[in-house]
PDB file of all heavy atoms in Angstrom:
ATOM      1  N   GLN A   1      95.075  80.849 130.295  1.00 92.00           N
ATOM      2  CA  GLN A   1      94.246  82.037 130.547  1.00 92.00           C
ATOM      3  C   GLN A   1      94.629  83.160 129.584  1.00 92.00           C
ATOM      4  O   GLN A   1      93.759  83.886 129.091  1.00 92.00           O
ATOM      5  CB  GLN A   1      94.388  82.505 131.999  1.00 92.00           C
ATOM      6  CG  GLN A   1      93.914  81.511 133.033  1.00 92.00           C
ATOM      7  CD  GLN A   1      92.434  81.193 132.941  1.00 92.00           C
ATOM      8  OE1 GLN A   1      91.658  81.931 132.364  1.00 92.00           O
ATOM      9  NE2 GLN A   1      92.051  80.073 133.513  1.00 92.00           N
ATOM     10  N   HIS A   2      95.904  83.313 129.313  1.00 92.00           N
ATOM     11  CA  HIS A   2      96.382  84.354 128.416  1.00 92.00           C
ATOM     12  C   HIS A   2      95.959  84.077 126.968  1.00 92.00           C
ATOM     13  O   HIS A   2      95.446  84.971 126.281  1.00 92.00           O
ATOM     14  CB  HIS A   2      97.898  84.486 128.525  1.00 92.00           C
ATOM     15  CG  HIS A   2      98.493  85.446 127.549  1.00 92.00           C
ATOM     16  ND1 HIS A   2      98.352  86.808 127.667  1.00 92.00           N
ATOM     17  CD2 HIS A   2      99.214  85.228 126.426  1.00 92.00           C
ATOM     18  CE1 HIS A   2      98.964  87.390 126.649  1.00 92.00           C
ATOM     19  NE2 HIS A   2      99.499  86.457 125.886  1.00 92.00           N
ATOM     20  N   LEU A   3      96.172  82.848 126.502  1.00 90.00           N
ATOM     21  CA  LEU A   3      95.935  82.532 125.087  1.00 90.00           C
ATOM     22  C   LEU A   3      94.453  82.374 124.733  1.00 90.00           C
ATOM     23  O   LEU A   3      94.076  82.661 123.586  1.00 90.00           O
ATOM     24  CB  LEU A   3      96.681  81.257 124.699  1.00 90.00           C
ATOM     25  CG  LEU A   3      98.200  81.342 124.661  1.00 90.00           C
ATOM     26  CD1 LEU A   3      98.794  79.973 124.376  1.00 90.00           C
ATOM     27  CD2 LEU A   3      98.661  82.364 123.634  1.00 90.00           C
ATOM     28  N   GLN A   4      93.649  81.937 125.670  1.00 87.00           N
ATOM     29  CA  GLN A   4      92.245  81.692 125.320  1.00 87.00           C
ATOM     30  C   GLN A   4      91.503  82.973 124.971  1.00 87.00           C
ATOM     31  O   GLN A   4      90.454  82.945 124.337  1.00 87.00           O
ATOM     32  CB  GLN A   4      91.528  80.923 126.416  1.00 87.00           C
ATOM     33  CG  GLN A   4      91.121  81.763 127.595  1.00 87.00           C
ATOM     34  CD  GLN A   4      90.064  81.064 128.434  1.00 87.00           C
ATOM     35  OE1 GLN A   4      89.705  79.931 128.175  1.00 87.00           O
ATOM     36  NE2 GLN A   4      89.583  81.751 129.431  1.00 87.00           N
ATOM     37  N   ARG A   5      92.044  84.118 125.345  1.00 85.00           N
ATOM     38  CA  ARG A   5      91.425  85.400 124.998  1.00 85.00           C
ATOM     39  C   ARG A   5      91.438  85.627 123.485  1.00 85.00           C
ATOM     40  O   ARG A   5      90.627  86.360 122.952  1.00 85.00           O
ATOM     41  CB  ARG A   5      92.165  86.551 125.661  1.00 85.00           C
ATOM     42  CG  ARG A   5      92.000  86.566 127.149  1.00 85.00           C
ATOM     43  CD  ARG A   5      92.664  87.790 127.727  1.00 85.00           C
ATOM     44  NE  ARG A   5      93.433  87.360 128.889  1.00 85.00           N
ATOM     45  CZ  ARG A   5      94.551  87.890 129.294  1.00 85.00           C
ATOM     46  NH1 ARG A   5      95.094  88.873 128.637  1.00 85.00           N
ATOM     47  NH2 ARG A   5      95.162  87.439 130.362  1.00 85.00           N
ATOM     48  N   TYR A   6      92.388  84.992 122.802  1.00 82.00           N
ATOM     49  CA  TYR A   6      92.562  85.211 121.374  1.00 82.00           C
ATOM     50  C   TYR A   6      91.802  84.211 120.509  1.00 82.00           C
ATOM     51  O   TYR A   6      91.771  84.351 119.294  1.00 82.00           O
ATOM     52  CB  TYR A   6      94.043  85.162 121.007  1.00 82.00           C
ATOM     53  CG  TYR A   6      94.856  86.170 121.774  1.00 82.00           C
ATOM     54  CD1 TYR A   6      95.701  85.761 122.806  1.00 82.00           C
ATOM     55  CD2 TYR A   6      94.758  87.517 121.485  1.00 82.00           C
ATOM     56  CE1 TYR A   6      96.440  86.679 123.519  1.00 82.00           C
ATOM     57  CE2 TYR A   6      95.497  88.462 122.210  1.00 82.00           C
ATOM     58  CZ  TYR A   6      96.324  88.027 123.225  1.00 82.00           C
ATOM     59  OH  TYR A   6      97.041  88.947 123.939  1.00 82.00           O
ATOM     60  N   ASN A   7      91.231  83.203 121.117  1.00 80.00           N
ATOM     61  CA  ASN A   7      90.580  82.152 120.335  1.00 80.00           C
ATOM     62  C   ASN A   7      89.440  81.557 121.149  1.00 80.00           C
ATOM     63  O   ASN A   7      89.670  80.932 122.179  1.00 80.00           O
ATOM     64  CB  ASN A   7      91.594  81.072 119.965  1.00 80.00           C
ATOM     65  CG  ASN A   7      91.012  80.009 119.056  1.00 80.00           C
ATOM     66  OD1 ASN A   7      89.868  80.104 118.626  1.00 80.00           O
ATOM     67  ND2 ASN A   7      91.796  78.998 118.767  1.00 80.00           N
ATOM     68  N   SER A   8      88.242  81.708 120.670  1.00 78.00           N
ATOM     69  CA  SER A   8      87.090  81.149 121.385  1.00 78.00           C
ATOM     70  C   SER A   8      86.583  79.863 120.740  1.00 78.00           C
ATOM     71  O   SER A   8      85.589  79.295 121.187  1.00 78.00           O
ATOM     72  CB  SER A   8      85.958  82.174 121.449  1.00 78.00           C
ATOM     73  OG  SER A   8      85.541  82.494 120.140  1.00 78.00           O
ATOM     74  N   THR A   9      87.271  79.391 119.700  1.00 82.00           N
ATOM     75  CA  THR A   9      86.795  78.206 118.990  1.00 82.00           C
ATOM     76  C   THR A   9      87.740  77.020 119.104  1.00 82.00           C
ATOM     77  O   THR A   9      87.720  76.141 118.277  1.00 82.00           O
ATOM     78  CB  THR A   9      86.585  78.527 117.490  1.00 82.00           C
ATOM     79  OG1 THR A   9      87.846  78.930 116.947  1.00 82.00           O
ATOM     80  CG2 THR A   9      85.550  79.616 117.293  1.00 82.00           C
ATOM     81  N   TYR A  10      88.579  77.001 120.126  1.00 84.00           N
ATOM     82  CA  TYR A  10      89.503  75.889 120.290  1.00 84.00           C
ATOM     83  C   TYR A  10      88.767  74.627 120.750  1.00 84.00           C
ATOM     84  O   TYR A  10      87.655  74.693 121.262  1.00 84.00           O
ATOM     85  CB  TYR A  10      90.607  76.244 121.291  1.00 84.00           C
ATOM     86  CG  TYR A  10      90.096  76.561 122.672  1.00 84.00           C
ATOM     87  CD1 TYR A  10      89.943  75.552 123.615  1.00 84.00           C
ATOM     88  CD2 TYR A  10      89.743  77.860 123.039  1.00 84.00           C
ATOM     89  CE1 TYR A  10      89.453  75.826 124.884  1.00 84.00           C
ATOM     90  CE2 TYR A  10      89.266  78.137 124.296  1.00 84.00           C
ATOM     91  CZ  TYR A  10      89.116  77.127 125.211  1.00 84.00           C
ATOM     92  OH  TYR A  10      88.616  77.393 126.462  1.00 84.00           O
ATOM     93  N   HIS A  11      89.404  73.475 120.536  1.00 87.00           N
ATOM     94  CA  HIS A  11      88.881  72.188 120.978  1.00 87.00           C
ATOM     95  C   HIS A  11      89.955  71.519 121.823  1.00 87.00           C
ATOM     96  O   HIS A  11      90.930  71.001 121.287  1.00 87.00           O
ATOM     97  CB  HIS A  11      88.531  71.297 119.786  1.00 87.00           C
ATOM     98  CG  HIS A  11      87.388  71.809 118.985  1.00 87.00           C
ATOM     99  ND1 HIS A  11      87.535  72.625 117.885  1.00 87.00           N
ATOM    100  CD2 HIS A  11      86.055  71.642 119.147  1.00 87.00           C
ATOM    101  CE1 HIS A  11      86.369  72.918 117.403  1.00 87.00           C
ATOM    102  NE2 HIS A  11      85.431  72.340 118.150  1.00 87.00           N
ATOM    103  N   LEU A  12      89.778  71.542 123.131  1.00 89.00           N
ATOM    104  CA  LEU A  12      90.756  70.973 124.051  1.00 89.00           C
ATOM    105  C   LEU A  12      90.072  70.026 125.006  1.00 89.00           C
ATOM    106  O   LEU A  12      89.089  70.381 125.659  1.00 89.00           O
ATOM    107  CB  LEU A  12      91.453  72.103 124.837  1.00 89.00           C
ATOM    108  CG  LEU A  12      92.438  71.660 125.933  1.00 89.00           C
ATOM    109  CD1 LEU A  12      93.619  70.888 125.327  1.00 89.00           C
ATOM    110  CD2 LEU A  12      92.926  72.869 126.706  1.00 89.00           C
ATOM    111  N   ILE A  13      90.620  68.822 125.095  1.00 90.00           N
ATOM    112  CA  ILE A  13      90.135  67.823 126.050  1.00 90.00           C
ATOM    113  C   ILE A  13      91.273  67.527 127.010  1.00 90.00           C
ATOM    114  O   ILE A  13      92.402  67.279 126.579  1.00 90.00           O
ATOM    115  CB  ILE A  13      89.698  66.532 125.332  1.00 90.00           C
ATOM    116  CG1 ILE A  13      88.540  66.828 124.378  1.00 90.00           C
ATOM    117  CG2 ILE A  13      89.336  65.441 126.321  1.00 90.00           C
ATOM    118  CD1 ILE A  13      88.174  65.689 123.466  1.00 90.00           C
ATOM    119  N   ILE A  14      90.984  67.556 128.288  1.00 92.00           N
ATOM    120  CA  ILE A  14      91.981  67.240 129.303  1.00 92.00           C
ATOM    121  C   ILE A  14      91.493  66.017 130.054  1.00 92.00           C
ATOM    122  O   ILE A  14      90.446  66.055 130.705  1.00 92.00           O
ATOM    123  CB  ILE A  14      92.179  68.428 130.286  1.00 92.00           C
ATOM    124  CG1 ILE A  14      92.615  69.676 129.515  1.00 92.00           C
ATOM    125  CG2 ILE A  14      93.197  68.059 131.353  1.00 92.00           C
ATOM    126  CD1 ILE A  14      92.678  70.927 130.367  1.00 92.00           C
ATOM    127  N   LEU A  15      92.229  64.914 129.921  1.00 89.00           N
ATOM    128  CA  LEU A  15      91.863  63.668 130.590  1.00 89.00           C
ATOM    129  C   LEU A  15      92.728  63.473 131.825  1.00 89.00           C
ATOM    130  O   LEU A  15      93.950  63.602 131.767  1.00 89.00           O
ATOM    131  CB  LEU A  15      92.034  62.475 129.653  1.00 89.00           C
ATOM    132  CG  LEU A  15      91.123  62.475 128.433  1.00 89.00           C
ATOM    133  CD1 LEU A  15      91.480  61.336 127.496  1.00 89.00           C
ATOM    134  CD2 LEU A  15      89.680  62.386 128.838  1.00 89.00           C
ATOM    135  N   CYS A  16      92.084  63.166 132.935  1.00 89.00           N
ATOM    136  CA  CYS A  16      92.784  62.980 134.201  1.00 89.00           C
ATOM    137  C   CYS A  16      92.284  61.728 134.887  1.00 89.00           C
ATOM    138  O   CYS A  16      91.172  61.266 134.636  1.00 89.00           O
ATOM    139  CB  CYS A  16      92.546  64.182 135.117  1.00 89.00           C
ATOM    140  SG  CYS A  16      93.119  65.744 134.445  1.00 89.00           S
ATOM    141  N   ASN A  17      93.092  61.234 135.791  1.00 85.00           N
ATOM    142  CA  ASN A  17      92.726  60.096 136.615  1.00 85.00           C
ATOM    143  C   ASN A  17      91.745  60.578 137.681  1.00 85.00           C
ATOM    144  O   ASN A  17      92.038  61.526 138.416  1.00 85.00           O
ATOM    145  CB  ASN A  17      93.992  59.519 137.254  1.00 85.00           C
ATOM    146  CG  ASN A  17      93.721  58.277 138.071  1.00 85.00           C
ATOM    147  OD1 ASN A  17      92.614  58.018 138.506  1.00 85.00           O
ATOM    148  ND2 ASN A  17      94.762  57.497 138.275  1.00 85.00           N
ATOM    149  N   CYS A  18      90.595  59.932 137.799  1.00 82.00           N
ATOM    150  CA  CYS A  18      89.588  60.385 138.762  1.00 82.00           C
ATOM    151  C   CYS A  18      90.085  60.258 140.200  1.00 82.00           C
ATOM    152  O   CYS A  18      89.579  60.945 141.096  1.00 82.00           O
ATOM    153  CB  CYS A  18      88.280  59.630 138.567  1.00 82.00           C
ATOM    154  SG  CYS A  18      88.365  57.868 138.892  1.00 82.00           S
ATOM    155  N   GLU A  19      91.084  59.439 140.446  1.00 86.00           N
ATOM    156  CA  GLU A  19      91.626  59.299 141.799  1.00 86.00           C
ATOM    157  C   GLU A  19      92.527  60.467 142.158  1.00 86.00           C
ATOM    158  O   GLU A  19      92.891  60.629 143.317  1.00 86.00           O
ATOM    159  CB  GLU A  19      92.394  57.981 141.921  1.00 86.00           C
ATOM    160  CG  GLU A  19      91.489  56.776 141.804  1.00 86.00           C
ATOM    161  CD  GLU A  19      92.251  55.473 141.804  1.00 86.00           C
ATOM    162  OE1 GLU A  19      93.493  55.477 141.981  1.00 86.00           O
ATOM    163  OE2 GLU A  19      91.600  54.428 141.629  1.00 86.00           O
ATOM    164  N   ARG A  20      92.887  61.302 141.174  1.00 88.00           N
ATOM    165  CA  ARG A  20      93.744  62.467 141.432  1.00 88.00           C
ATOM    166  C   ARG A  20      93.018  63.758 141.061  1.00 88.00           C
ATOM    167  O   ARG A  20      93.615  64.732 140.643  1.00 88.00           O
ATOM    168  CB  ARG A  20      95.039  62.344 140.628  1.00 88.00           C
ATOM    169  CG  ARG A  20      95.901  61.180 141.082  1.00 88.00           C
ATOM    170  CD  ARG A  20      97.169  61.039 140.256  1.00 88.00           C
ATOM    171  NE  ARG A  20      97.819  62.300 139.933  1.00 88.00           N
ATOM    172  CZ  ARG A  20      98.788  62.868 140.662  1.00 88.00           C
ATOM    173  NH1 ARG A  20      99.206  62.281 141.748  1.00 88.00           N
ATOM    174  NH2 ARG A  20      99.334  63.996 140.280  1.00 88.00           N
ATOM    175  N   GLU A  21      91.705  63.768 141.277  1.00 82.00           N
ATOM    176  CA  GLU A  21      90.904  64.914 140.864  1.00 82.00           C
ATOM    177  C   GLU A  21      91.185  66.179 141.677  1.00 82.00           C
ATOM    178  O   GLU A  21      90.738  67.259 141.294  1.00 82.00           O
ATOM    179  CB  GLU A  21      89.414  64.580 140.923  1.00 82.00           C
ATOM    180  CG  GLU A  21      88.885  64.332 142.318  1.00 82.00           C
ATOM    181  CD  GLU A  21      87.413  63.983 142.304  1.00 82.00           C
ATOM    182  OE1 GLU A  21      86.676  64.473 141.430  1.00 82.00           O
ATOM    183  OE2 GLU A  21      87.002  63.203 143.174  1.00 82.00           O
ATOM    184  N   HIS A  22      91.908  66.064 142.764  1.00 87.00           N
ATOM    185  CA  HIS A  22      92.212  67.234 143.586  1.00 87.00           C
ATOM    186  C   HIS A  22      93.596  67.808 143.284  1.00 87.00           C
ATOM    187  O   HIS A  22      94.033  68.739 143.955  1.00 87.00           O
ATOM    188  CB  HIS A  22      92.076  66.904 145.071  1.00 87.00           C
ATOM    189  CG  HIS A  22      90.697  66.485 145.427  1.00 87.00           C
ATOM    190  ND1 HIS A  22      89.607  67.328 145.332  1.00 87.00           N
ATOM    191  CD2 HIS A  22      90.192  65.304 145.860  1.00 87.00           C
ATOM    192  CE1 HIS A  22      88.517  66.692 145.683  1.00 87.00           C
ATOM    193  NE2 HIS A  22      88.843  65.464 146.009  1.00 87.00           N
ATOM    194  N   SER A  23      94.280  67.279 142.264  1.00 92.00           N
ATOM    195  CA  SER A  23      95.539  67.877 141.876  1.00 92.00           C
ATOM    196  C   SER A  23      95.252  69.180 141.126  1.00 92.00           C
ATOM    197  O   SER A  23      94.106  69.520 140.860  1.00 92.00           O
ATOM    198  CB  SER A  23      96.375  66.902 141.052  1.00 92.00           C
ATOM    199  OG  SER A  23      95.699  66.542 139.882  1.00 92.00           O
ATOM    200  N   TYR A  24      96.278  69.914 140.779  1.00 94.00           N
ATOM    201  CA  TYR A  24      96.127  71.286 140.307  1.00 94.00           C
ATOM    202  C   TYR A  24      95.261  71.422 139.048  1.00 94.00           C
ATOM    203  O   TYR A  24      94.265  72.161 139.050  1.00 94.00           O
ATOM    204  CB  TYR A  24      97.507  71.920 140.072  1.00 94.00           C
ATOM    205  CG  TYR A  24      97.431  73.409 139.887  1.00 94.00           C
ATOM    206  CD1 TYR A  24      97.485  74.255 140.985  1.00 94.00           C
ATOM    207  CD2 TYR A  24      97.294  73.961 138.631  1.00 94.00           C
ATOM    208  CE1 TYR A  24      97.404  75.630 140.830  1.00 94.00           C
ATOM    209  CE2 TYR A  24      97.221  75.334 138.461  1.00 94.00           C
ATOM    210  CZ  TYR A  24      97.275  76.162 139.564  1.00 94.00           C
ATOM    211  OH  TYR A  24      97.180  77.512 139.396  1.00 94.00           O
TER     212      TYR A  24
END
């Protein structure tokens, strides 16, 4: 949240296990 204010053109992919979709 802090760093994204300084860059609006980043490319980030977050891959997660669909069975743990309720984790943080």
Side-chain angles (χ1 to χ4, degrees):
Q1 297 297 341
H2 175 72
L3 291 175
Q4 78 163 4
R5 292 185 225 147
Y6 303 106
N7 185 4
S8 62
T9 61
Y10 61 90
H11 293 93
L12 176 63
I13 298 171
I14 301 173
L15 296 174
C16 300
N17 183 339
C18 64
E19 294 175 4
R20 294 178 41 93
E21 66 181 328
H22 299 296
S23 61
Y24 193 88

